[in-house]
Amino acid sequence: MPRNQSTAAQRARAAQRETGAKYTAALRQATTADTSPTVFSLRELLAECTASPEWTGGHPEVDAEWAPRMFNSALLGGPVPYNAVLLLTGGLAAMGLSAEMVMESRHGFHTAVVACGGRRFEVVLSQDDRVTELCLAPGCDRYPVAEVLIPYCEHRHLAERSETELAKMAWAWGNDRRQEFESTPAAVHPGDKGNALIAAAVTQGAFSKVAAELVDGCYGDPDLIDEIHLDDVEATAVRHAIDNEYLRLRERARSAAAHIRKLAGGLCICGAPLRLAPEANVPARYCSTQCASSAANSPVIR
């Protein structure tokens, strides 16, 4: 079992995948069978942090001169650094002080994992200023591809998302990149994080949809280029950039498919050769649409 993953977290993940429920609600329900879950508001955590006296015990992981200033948190199951909690609440302040939080797990004096508003954070308990966003999949201790915009880890959980989820993330990531390159619209590119979305799309047989959303996010609707860019030279440059990006994404998709097929020994689960191009929109592990449909009852296509 991965670090920080509990049976309750596993059940919450399954419920989230099968019903679409919010993770915090799913975890609270899943935890009921084991023990009372630690559920609290952002306001309660901030109040506890600012009002609690300093914890005077000896930190078992670091020497006294390096130990962070801590308070004994009833909400987070033991001593935690003041600064880490302030960083956490600051990062979540936009959700409002009534935002519901759930402590997913605590690993001694190493880390505590909390979930709030569709995000998960690891609080390092041996340092003042280490609060790291984690992959949104419950129990996962990897980092997300791009935090809020692509909140799943590249090596496993991003590839488990549905076509609809991947398309939404692709457009959001592309739109964020377009704003970053607002002064040079023809120079925008989705980068490595966009490549990760394409690799996940190939796994799910969703290349065409995800690539289109990624390009639209980066450059805008291709049918509206003349309205978006009134300067003819700039409009031409953007069209050229769109064409080049589609070519690059196709090559990236073919590379991702080749990698998946190599891991699969070049054969589909039915024994047929794996030959379809990603543009066929069939998951790379399958030889045909019909073969992929036979696995439709599986919640995750690997």
Side-chain angles (χ1 to χ4, degrees):
M1 183 179 295
R3 179 169 62 88
N4 291 332
Q5 185 162 353
S6 65
T7 55
Q10 288 176 311
R11 291 200 301 275
R13 177 183 170 191
Q16 182 190 38
R17 183 175 60 240
E18 294 170 5
T19 68
K22 291 183 178 179
Y23 171 62
T24 50
L27 180 62
R28 184 168 64 250
Q29 182 176 2
T31 311
T32 301
D34 297 337
T35 184
S36 298
T38 305
V39 182
F40 48 92
S41 69
L42 189 57
R43 178 183 289 105
E44 289 175 302
L45 180 61
L46 183 60
E48 184 185 54
C49 175
T50 55
S52 298
E54 185 171 355
W55 179 69
T56 58
H59 199 295
E61 302 295 332
V62 293
D63 294 337
E65 62 177 312
W66 303 109
R69 293 184 60 235
M70 309 177 81
F71 69 96
N72 197 12
S73 172
L75 299 176
L76 296 182
V80 293
Y82 285 105
N83 286 348
V85 172
L86 293 175
L87 285 172
L88 177 64
T89 54
L92 293 172
M95 297 183 185
L97 292 177
S98 297
E100 183 181 88
M101 306 185 73
V102 177
M103 189 179 81
E104 181 180 305
S105 61
R106 182 178 174 116
H107 187 66
F109 274 77
H110 295 283
T111 58
V113 178
V114 297
C116 180
R119 299 168 72 183
R120 296 173 64 244
F121 296 88
E122 179 183 73
V123 179
V124 176
L125 302 176
S126 59
Q127 298 183 41
D128 271 323
D129 54 357
R130 283 287 304 280
V131 176
T132 307
E133 189 143 2
L134 296 176
C135 171
L136 188 55
C140 182
D141 60 1
R142 295 181 181 272
Y143 302 138
V145 173
E147 296 187 350
V148 177
L149 296 177
I150 312 175
Y152 296 93
C153 63
E154 179 177 357
H155 297 288
R156 178 181 175 187
H157 293 113
L158 184 61
E160 294 180 350
R161 308 337 298 166
S162 68
E163 177 184 77
T164 299
E165 289 178 284
L166 290 171
K168 288 181 179 179
M169 287 186 275
W171 188 90
W173 174 248
N175 184 62
D176 186 74
R177 297 291 281 173
R178 177 163 48 146
Q179 294 180 41
E180 183 177 344
F181 285 83
E182 186 175 7
S183 61
T184 55
V188 65
H189 58 87
D192 291 342
K193 294 176 174 60
N195 292 342
L197 286 165
I198 292 300
V202 170
T203 302
Q204 291 289 354
F207 167 70
S208 297
K209 176 66 173 177
V210 173
E213 292 295 321
L214 186 59
V215 172
D216 281 7
C218 284
Y219 302 102
D221 188 336
D223 295 331
L224 300 176
I225 294 300
D226 288 327
E227 297 179 26
I228 298 172
H229 306 284
L230 300 180
D231 180 84
D232 290 341
V233 173
E234 184 172 86
T236 299
V238 170
R239 285 198 191 90
H240 184 64
I242 290 174
D243 291 340
N244 284 342
E245 187 57 30
Y246 268 121
L247 289 173
R248 193 192 72 81
L249 292 178
R250 288 191 186 99
E251 288 303 312
R252 186 72 186 180
R254 290 181 181 129
S255 177
H259 177 69
I260 292 171
R261 290 164 184 167
K262 181 179 179 181
L263 294 176
L267 296 176
C268 177
I269 58 172
C270 70
L274 293 170
R275 294 173 180 167
L276 291 177
E279 293 90 333
N281 294 320
V282 174
R285 281 292 308 273
Y286 296 92
C287 64
S288 67
T289 302
Q290 292 75 18
C291 188
S293 297
S294 68
N297 291 331
S298 175
V300 177
I301 297 176
R302 290 190 178 91

